[in-house]
Amino acid sequence: MGYNKNTLITALIEKGVKIPNPSSVEISDDVNINLISSEDVTIHSGCKIFGKKTLIMPGVILGSRSPVTIKNCQLGKKVELKGGYFEGSTFLDSANMGDGAEVREGCLLEEEANGAHTVGLKQTIIFPFVTLGSIINFCDILMAGGTSRTNHSEVGSSYIHFNYTPNQDKATASLIGDVAYGVMLNQAPIFLGGQGGLVGPSRIGYKTVIAAGVIYRGNCPQGHKLLMGNNPQKEDMDFSPGVYWRVKSRVINCIEYIANIIALRQWYLIVRSKFYQGSDIEKLLYEGALEKLELIFNERIKRLKQLANKMEKSIELYKQVIGSKVSNELINQKRELIENIQKIENCFNECLKYSGDEKKRVGFLKDLDDIYKKTGKDYIDVIQNLNEYSRKAGTSWLLSIVENTRNTIFKYLPSFI
């Protein structure tokens, strides 16, 4: 067949992995082939596999349309990556991505999350069923909503999440949906219309539609809106690099995002972990997902600190530009942020340890365990078989984590309340 009998590729073929054109496939020496399943795994022509953390579970298909490169990714059962580059990310069962994708470090795509061709992701969390159209840039974002592959949140083609500012900071992560309600897999979908964009950081609630072609620059956490983006066109104005004319909304949205990541981490530690108690490979998939949440948490703290460290200079520049008409409220907000940022970071790390209201947590977990015993270990089935009372209890438990984080941080930012 034209391949070296001493290669890792040979070993994979001999254990049952389908590699139709082995001479075109590259597998680095640091890949542990014991972490690549032999059950219905297909690796098509031109694929490259790197990294000691790479995990491939049964039913995975790589490169059905064009070559795929993966590096230190964990792929759950029946994941399909049709073409592109994937690094340092975790894909849970039946997630899939189309041709030409670039998924960089820190992404977590949950069950049946999917994207069409030419999708760019980084530090992105996509909940079950969420669908991304074609030619999308969707970095630094969490998106939830929907109940199935036929009733799902969707991002229209040619959509951009704008996550980098003219002042060169990335404290811009956006919440599309949330964690406490989103994990219950019973929320109305969110639709972001094609040929549009969202300027981060933003918060968008369930049952929201942003019309096609709209660049949305606000927040709509309450949801249930059709957002047309009818802001009046403003005249050109002077631009003063380094000046932040407002920081309140940005900082609040950053705090809310981090609080949701903390809640999602507890969900994984306490709930998701129950579904990965079988083989060692299943546990590694779970650990890969948990690692991504920790990466995202650290990234968001880093970006918030970078923003805070610009506030002293911003105050100086602001005074120079505005003269005697300065807003003392804005200056106070900037000072609180820079003077307390280390305490804020410490508090975020302390909040990681809080597992939520005990009474609410225990009650929810009892109901969850009852459903688990009746329906088996399929995560989607268990969650969607919870009754309304149990879902509300679970949501209330997770909201207690978000609220604890929020209240803890705002003690150091009183002018932001």
Side-chain angles (χ1 to χ4, degrees):
M1 295 179 63
Y3 55 85
N4 187 334
K5 289 292 183 181
N6 295 319
T7 63
L8 292 173
I9 296 170
T10 302
L12 288 174
I13 292 171
E14 290 176 347
K15 72 183 283 190
V17 176
K18 301 181 185 69
I19 306 180
N21 187 4
S23 63
S24 73
V25 172
E26 180 181 352
I27 299 180
S28 68
D29 291 338
D30 59 351
V31 172
N32 182 353
I33 64 170
N34 293 321
L35 301 183
I36 299 179
S37 173
S38 61
E39 185 181 342
D40 295 326
V41 170
T42 302
I43 302 173
H44 287 286
S45 299
C47 290
K48 302 176 184 178
I49 301 176
F50 305 110
K52 63 182 180 180
K53 292 185 178 181
T54 291
L55 170 71
I56 298 177
M57 294 184 69
V60 167
I61 301 174
L62 300 179
S64 61
R65 294 186 181 174
S66 68
V68 160
T69 298
I70 62 172
K71 182 178 181 181
N72 288 320
C73 289
Q74 298 79 45
L75 312 182
K77 297 174 183 177
K78 297 183 180 179
V79 167
E80 183 173 7
L81 306 179
K82 298 183 175 71
Y85 180 82
F86 307 85
E87 179 176 0
S89 295
T90 301
F91 300 77
L92 301 186
D93 294 357
S94 298
N96 70 84
M97 292 295 293
D99 195 11
E102 183 181 50
V103 177
R104 291 179 283 166
E105 187 178 41
C107 293
L108 173 57
L109 277 72
E110 294 191 336
E111 291 86 352
E112 299 185 49
N114 64 102
H117 69 79
T118 325
V119 171
L121 307 177
K122 178 176 67 66
Q123 299 279 330
T124 300
I125 301 172
I126 304 294
F127 274 20
F129 317 125
V130 174
T131 297
L132 310 177
S134 302
I135 318 176
I136 284 172
N137 190 321
F138 215 56
C139 303
D140 297 333
I141 207 159
L142 181 151
M143 187 167 185
T147 60
S148 69
R149 285 292 297 114
T150 57
N151 179 45
H152 54 80
S153 289
E154 177 146 354
V155 181
S157 295
S158 301
Y159 204 86
I160 297 175
H161 178 239
F162 296 99
N163 66 328
Y164 188 74
T165 76
N167 283 326
Q168 302 179 10
D169 70 77
K170 297 185 77 173
T172 50
S174 292
L175 276 174
I176 313 300
D178 72 341
V179 169
Y181 290 92
V183 295
M184 298 304 163
L185 306 180
N186 67 338
Q187 293 300 303
I190 299 167
F191 185 82
L192 308 182
Q195 201 70 31
L198 181 68
V199 179
S202 178
R203 288 181 288 151
I204 303 295
Y206 298 105
K207 208 173 183 179
T208 295
V209 173
I210 298 182
V214 169
I215 305 296
Y216 189 70
R217 292 176 167 82
N219 297 294
C220 185
Q222 73 276 16
H224 293 251
K225 296 287 185 180
L226 170 60
L227 303 176
M228 302 298 294
N230 289 329
N231 294 325
Q233 181 66 42
K234 295 181 179 179
E235 295 181 358
D236 293 343
M237 55 190 295
D238 292 336
F239 173 64
S240 303
V243 177
Y244 288 80
W245 298 101
R246 58 189 67 84
V247 296
K248 182 175 180 178
S249 177
R250 176 174 303 224
V251 171
I252 288 174
N253 285 356
C254 287
I255 293 168
E256 289 293 324
Y257 194 92
I258 296 169
N260 272 263
I261 296 301
I262 291 172
L264 184 57
R265 181 175 176 272
Q266 287 296 329
W267 178 260
Y268 267 76
L269 288 171
I270 296 172
V271 175
R272 280 278 196 173
S273 59
K274 295 176 180 290
F275 297 85
Y276 297 94
Q277 297 300 317
S279 67
D280 290 340
I281 286 183
E282 287 180 337
K283 293 175 183 177
L284 288 173
L285 180 66
Y286 162 76
E287 290 170 4
L290 192 60
E291 178 190 52
K292 303 310 170 295
L293 296 179
E294 292 167 355
L295 284 171
I296 290 168
F297 172 82
N298 290 330
E299 174 74 5
R300 300 274 56 93
I301 298 295
K302 171 186 171 183
R303 297 300 185 179
L304 182 59
K305 288 177 66 178
Q306 289 175 343
L307 175 67
N309 289 332
K310 294 181 178 182
M311 291 301 103
E312 198 67 55
K313 184 66 173 178
S314 178
I315 291 172
E316 295 177 12
L317 294 172
Y318 173 65
K319 289 179 178 179
Q320 292 173 15
V321 171
I322 208 72
S324 61
K325 298 180 181 180
V326 297
S327 165
N328 290 326
E329 181 183 23
L330 178 57
I331 292 176
N332 287 339
Q333 289 170 351
K334 293 178 180 181
R335 290 204 184 281
E336 283 180 4
L337 184 59
I338 185 58
E339 291 174 0
N340 293 297
I341 190 59
Q342 189 56 57
K343 294 177 182 177
I344 290 170
E345 180 183 10
N346 294 340
C347 285
F348 273 129
N349 284 310
E350 283 298 313
C351 288
L352 280 175
K353 304 173 185 176
Y354 180 63
S355 57
D357 184 282
E358 183 177 3
K359 183 177 180 180
K360 294 173 181 176
R361 182 181 74 250
V362 170
F364 169 72
L365 291 176
K366 182 182 182 300
D367 293 343
L368 181 83
D369 288 340
D370 289 342
I371 299 296
Y372 183 92
K373 292 173 184 176
K374 292 177 183 177
T375 65
K377 60 181 296 186
D378 183 84
Y379 173 76
I380 300 292
D381 285 347
V382 171
I383 298 303
Q384 294 194 325
N385 272 286
L386 290 167
N387 60 39
E388 189 63 23
Y389 176 83
S390 298
R391 290 196 186 100
K392 287 181 179 179
T395 294
S396 183
W397 159 50
L398 293 171
L399 286 174
S400 74
I401 298 172
V402 173
E403 183 177 5
N404 174 72
T405 304
R406 183 190 299 128
N407 293 341
T408 300
I409 301 304
F410 280 131
K411 288 179 184 178
Y412 297 99
L413 299 171
S415 67
F416 284 76
I417 300 174

